[in-house]
Amino acid sequence: MSRSPSFKVKTELSPSLDPDSLQRWIVALCAIRFDLEQGQLVEVCYPPGCLTRDDELEVAYSSFPDSVSQQQNRSSIHDCIFFFRFRRHLKSQSSNATHSSEITEVNKEFSPKSIDENNVSKTFSNKGGVNVSKYLYGFVFNRQRHDERLKRGGEQKSVVILSHNPYTSVFKPLLQIVGPLYFDIGKMALEHIAAYVSTWPAPIPGKQMDLPIGNATLKVNLPPAYSLPVENGVSFEDSTSPVAPLLPNNQSTLQGLFHDSDLFGAFRGLLLQLWLLWELLIIGEPILIIAPTPPQCCEAVASLVSLVAPLLCSVDFRPYFTIHNPEFAHLNSIREGETFPPMVLGVTNLFFLKALRNISHVVSVGSPSPSSNRVALSARPSAGRASGRPEGLGLQQLSLQKFSPSSLLNAIKLRREGPLCLMTEHKEAIWTTYSATTKPDTSILNRLIDAGVSPRVEESMSVVNNEILRRHFLELTTNFLAPFGPYFRTTAPLEGSSPYVDPPSLPPFNADEFLASLSARGPGKFILKRMKSNWLIFYRRFLNGPNFMPWFQRRRAVAEQEQDRLWRHARMKIDIQQLVSKMSELEIVDSFNVIERLLLRELQQQQSGNGGIDSVATCQKLLGDLQAVFNALSKDMQQLMLSNPQRASLLQGSPELAKLSAHALI
C-alpha cells in the first residue's frame, strides 16, 4: 500500500459540517466491528440516521473479507482497501418490484430495431431528471489485527466511506487518511473528515481537482460525466457533456470510469485474453471474476469496466460480491438453461463456483499470497483458446512462451477439471465457450515492460504498461463505435441562409438497415485488420446487448444539444434586416412564427429556472428580431398579428406581459 498522506487534527481550526455540501461527495462514514457472537456491527454511522436499517446491514456484510489474512505473525496488523457496489433500498411509490425483476431490468421502451431522435431525447430527459441514485459505492479500509492476547487471537474492524459516486481516485487516498486516523482517535476522525469534505466544491466530472483535507491536499482526476452509470443520479446536462469523437493527442486524457485502476497488474497473467474480455463486456455477457483477496477482486472488476472506454458501461458490475447480498438468492435460483443477467461479479468465496454454475464465463485472477515475489513477465502464464469440455465450458490457457508439451498437458488438465479446480489450487485462467472475434494484438504486448521483482520498479512500470494498454483499447473501442457516427452528425445553418427554420432531424436509426449498410461498406480498416470475418455477428450482438441503448441515447442527446447550440449561435449572429430584405412575404410570416415560438420557449425555460447563462441575451436578440420581422410585414398582416392581445404585449417588450404571453400562448 502506498504511504498515507500526513494529517493532523486541529480542533480549533476544524470547519463546521455542512450536510448538504457533504452529500455531493459522501453519503455517510461508518465504522464497523466484527463481533464473534453477534457478527458485523455498525459502531458509528455519521451523519446519524442517513441510512436505512437494510442499508446498514448490507454495508456491514460487504465490509469484511470472506477470510482472515493468512499472515502467521503472532502479533501483526494487516490493512487492505477495497470497494463494493450495492443496490439501495429506496422507499418509492413503485417499490413493488422484486429483486429478481430489478436485476434483469432492461430498457424495453425502445428497441434498437428503430430509434428516432424525439423518443431518445424524451426518454433520456426523463431519466436524467431523476436525481436519485439506485446504487451506493462503499469504499473500505479494513484492519485485521492478530494478537494472541485477544479472544480467538485477533479482531477485525472496517472504516467505510459511502458515496453515490464511483470516484476511486478520490476515496482510496481519502481512506488512507481516515482509516488510520480512526484507529488513533476514534469517532472524532469521521466527524473531522466529514467537515473538511463538506467544504469541497461540487464535483466537476472530467476535470482535475485539488481537494484540501487538513494539512494535506488530494490532487485527483474525476472520470468524465458520460462514463458514469446512467442510474447514478447525474443531471441531464452533465451526463450529456461533449464526448470526444476522436482520440485525444494527450495520452493522459481521461476517457472512462476507473481510469486509475491497475489494468496491467490485475490481468498480468491473462494479457493475451484482454481482447476476449473486452468483447465479452462490449456485448454484455455475464462474467464471474474470482480472486484470493477483495483488493485483487475489486481491481480486476474496475479494470475490466475501464477497458471499454469511451463506451458507457451499462452492465451491472459488483467489485466485491458476497453471499450475504440480498440479490444472491435470486442468482443462486437461476436454473440451467435460463439466462443469467448481464453482470460482472467479483468474488473471493469459492462457494460461488458451485452456486453460480450457470454463469457462462469464469475468470480467475490474482495471487493467493500478496507477500510472495512475482514471476517475471516472460515466465508468467497467460490464457489462450481451448476446446469445450463435456459440461459445456471451455478453458482459455496458452503461454506467452513458445509451445511446449507441458503447457498442452496443463491446458488439457485444466479444461477437464473446469473452474472447480480452483477449490484445491488457485490458478490464473479463463473458462468460456465464447469464440472471440477480435484477435490479440501481439505488437501491443511486445511493447509492455517487464518490471521484474522489485516492487518499486514494478509500480512505476505498471503506470507505463497501463498507459499502453488503455491507449490501445481506447483506440479499439473508438474505431468499433465509429460506424455509428453518421447518426450523431449535426448540421448548422448554411452561410447566408435563415436560422429561423426548423433544424433538420438527426438520421433515424434502424438496426437491420444499419447492419445491411455496414455489411456493404465494412467497419473500416482498423477493425477489419483486428477482427475475424464474422465481425458483423459481433456488431449484431452489441446491438442486442445491454450497453448499446443507453450509450446510443446518451450520444444522441449530446448530438441534439450540440445542434441546438450551433443554431442558437447562428441566430445570435444573424443580421435580421439583411436577411428579411431577401425574403418573400410568405417567408417573412414563417420566420415570424418560428421566432415567436423560440422566444416563448426561452421565456418558459426562464420561468422554470432552466434558462442557460445566455438566456437573457438570447431573449433580447429574439425579441429584437421578432419586432424587425413584424415591421417588414404588410399593414394588413400586422393588424392580423396584433389582434391577439398576448402577441401584442409580447411585441411591446414588457417583461411582465411577455411572461403572461408565454403562458397564454403555450
Side-chain angles (χ1 to χ4, degrees), residues 474-547:
L474 173 62
E475 188 176 16
L476 180 63
T477 308
T478 303
N479 279 275
F480 172 74
L481 299 174
F484 296 95
Y487 298 98
F488 314 127
R489 191 168 295 154
T490 59
T491 55
L494 297 175
E495 189 71 27
S497 63
S498 173
Y500 291 123
V501 295
D502 292 326
S505 301
L506 297 178
F509 180 83
N510 180 277
D512 294 331
E513 293 176 0
F514 168 78
L515 291 172
S517 174
L518 188 63
S519 176
R521 71 176 189 272
K525 292 181 180 179
F526 187 92
I527 294 297
L528 288 175
K529 181 180 178 182
R530 289 163 175 80
M531 291 190 179
K532 300 175 183 177
S533 57
N534 61 338
W535 54 265
L536 193 64
I537 298 176
F538 182 36
Y539 273 97
R540 182 175 286 109
R541 285 173 172 165
F542 172 59
L543 291 177
N544 294 327
N547 286 321

Side-chain angles (χ1 to χ4, degrees), residues 1-7 22 25-29 81 139-141 159-163 167-182 189-190 192-198 200 211-214 216-220 260:
M1 182 184 300
S2 61
R3 208 172 164 185
S4 301
S6 61
F7 181 84
L22 179 67
W25 291 93
I26 291 177
V27 173
L29 293 100
I81 289 178
F139 299 86
V140 182
F141 181 96
V159 178
V160 186
I161 298 175
L162 294 173
S163 176
Y167 294 157
T168 52
S169 60
V170 176
F171 298 119
K172 282 186 177 181
L174 186 59
L175 277 174
Q176 292 180 341
I177 297 175
V178 67
L181 190 65
Y182 175 79
L190 306 185
H192 280 283
I193 294 296
Y196 276 111
V197 171
S198 70
W200 292 355
L211 306 174
I213 188 81
T217 299
L218 303 180
K219 190 178 291 289
V220 300
D260 57 326

